[in-house]
Amino acid sequence: MKYVKQFMIIMGVCFLGELLYSLLPFPVPASIYGLLLLFLLLMTGLLKLEQIEETAEFFLAVMPLLFLSPSVSLITVMDKVKGAFLPIVGTIVLSTIVTTGVTGIVTQAVMKIFAKRKKSYDKGGMSQ
């Protein structure tokens, strides 16, 4: 029953993402609205990680299976994609490198910010 409750919470957040997609005039996919909503709920403490953790871990574990069908489908249309194969591979490689680089830079910046805050707390500069 615990897993059903966790599943229903996640599906509820997904439904709210779909609702936001229908109501808001922005060209943002409903799944992104759902992810942002889930993030905000977790960050504000309105939703505790323990309330969805096991089901979310299951979804993450089976996620690679969800990409299997589209990958196999690419094989069936390979003759249509042959002419654009190199640009597609180049785009994938370049975007992966850029994404990895930007992620590393942002992670380092966030770590520096948290290190400065920790030093400030350790020195007694800010009250808790």
Side-chain angles (χ1 to χ4, degrees), residues 15-128:
F15 175 75
L16 290 175
E18 292 285 342
L19 195 63
L20 286 173
Y21 175 74
S22 298
L23 296 174
L24 297 176
F26 306 116
V28 177
S31 59
I32 301 301
Y33 284 127
L35 285 173
L36 289 174
L37 187 59
L38 182 62
F39 176 73
L40 290 173
L41 289 171
L42 289 168
M43 292 304 293
T44 59
L46 294 172
L47 180 65
K48 305 285 186 229
L49 180 60
E50 298 81 32
Q51 292 176 288
I52 60 167
E53 190 168 16
E54 290 92 353
T55 302
E57 286 176 359
F58 170 75
F59 284 145
L60 287 173
V62 300
M63 188 172 28
L65 293 175
L66 302 176
F67 292 103
L68 195 56
S69 179
S71 299
V72 171
S73 296
L74 278 177
I75 295 171
T76 62
V77 294
M78 191 54 111
D79 57 326
K80 296 176 184 173
V81 180
K82 277 184 186 174
F85 186 73
L86 277 174
I88 290 172
V89 170
T91 302
I92 291 170
V93 169
L94 182 64
S95 65
T96 301
I97 292 169
V98 169
T99 301
T100 304
V102 170
T103 302
I105 291 168
V106 170
T107 301
Q108 288 178 343
V110 169
M111 289 173 66
K112 285 180 184 177
I113 290 169
F114 279 111
K116 286 180 184 178
R117 282 189 183 172
K118 186 175 182 334
K119 284 182 185 178
S120 175
Y121 281 121
D122 291 343
K123 291 182 181 178
M126 295 184 163
S127 62
Q128 292 182 359

